[in-house]
């Protein structure tokens, strides 16, 4: 598969929500980055952590599913740009936090690199404050405080 086909297949698998099937589109070793402020976010958003393996990718998507209200998530892909092995996906995602019952909407840009039909780089830049505000159950806590 070329880059565009691989990205399209990955996005379809993400929409279906099966962490193992999603992870199959990734190489065994992955350059993974989630652009969040520094700090330990494991209490509120446990999927926000360093990853480097296909198994870690599956765990990431499993944790997202476990912490969101089923049936109350959405994703809108606005544009996919492809340049050789690189692709950038622009869109908006939304969900409802199980921990608080609060919904959020967050814009994102996802930079992927594809080699031999597998994703080797996954760098996502998103409106982390919107997500944090939905999941944080301690109103006095603030990022960077």
């Amino acid at each position: 598969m070329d880059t565009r086909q691989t990205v399209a297949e990955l996005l379809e698998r993400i929409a279906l929500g099966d962490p193992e099937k999603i992870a199959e589109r990734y190489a065994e070793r992955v350059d993974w980055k989630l652009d969040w402020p520094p700090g330990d976010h494991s209490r509120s958003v446990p999927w926000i952590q360093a990853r480097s393996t296909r198994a870690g990718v599956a765990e990431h998507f499993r944790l997202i599913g476990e912490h969101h209200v089923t049936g109350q998530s959405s994703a809108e892909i606005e544009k996919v740009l492809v340049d050789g092995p690189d692709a950038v996906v622009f869109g908006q995602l939304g969900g409802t936090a199980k921990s608080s019952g609060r919904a959020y909407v967050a814009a994102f840009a996802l930079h992927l690199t594809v080699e031999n039909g597998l994703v080797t780089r996954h760098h996502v830049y998103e409106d982390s404050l919107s997500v944090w505000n939905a999941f944080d159950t301690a109103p006095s806590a603030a990022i960077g405080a």
Side-chain angles (χ1 to χ4, degrees):
M1 282 196 281
D2 69 12
T3 301
R4 188 172 297 279
Q5 292 168 324
T6 301
V7 171
E9 174 71 19
L10 174 64
L11 295 173
E12 287 176 25
R13 290 179 183 213
I14 290 171
L16 293 173
D18 181 336
E20 297 303 324
K21 290 287 187 189
I22 296 167
E24 288 174 359
R25 294 289 3 124
Y26 287 80
E28 285 296 332
R29 301 292 300 167
V30 180
D31 175 7
W32 183 272
K33 179 181 178 181
L34 301 176
D35 189 43
W36 271 61
D40 179 12
H41 307 292
S42 61
R43 182 181 54 80
S44 295
V45 286
W47 61 91
I48 303 299
Q49 57 183 277
R51 310 273 180 196
S52 61
T53 65
R54 181 182 289 161
V57 170
E59 179 67 8
H60 171 82
F61 287 101
R62 199 171 7 267
L63 286 168
I64 287 175
E66 289 174 7
H67 290 85
H68 284 81
V69 176
T70 303
Q72 294 185 20
S73 294
S74 65
E76 179 183 330
I77 305 303
E78 296 167 4
K79 187 172 289 279
V80 178
L81 304 175
V82 176
D83 183 15
D86 292 301
V88 179
V89 180
F90 295 99
Q92 194 169 24
L93 54 90
T96 301
K98 277 187 182 177
S99 59
S100 70
R102 290 190 296 269
Y104 68 90
V105 175
F108 73 89
L110 172 61
H111 178 193
L112 301 167
T113 300
V114 175
E115 297 174 17
N116 301 316
L118 297 173
V119 175
T120 59
R121 175 187 359 216
H122 176 114
H123 289 189
V124 66
Y125 307 90
E126 67 183 355
D127 179 359
S128 54
L129 185 57
S130 291
V131 179
W132 176 264
N133 284 336
F135 280 89
D136 188 32
T137 56
S140 62
I143 294 177

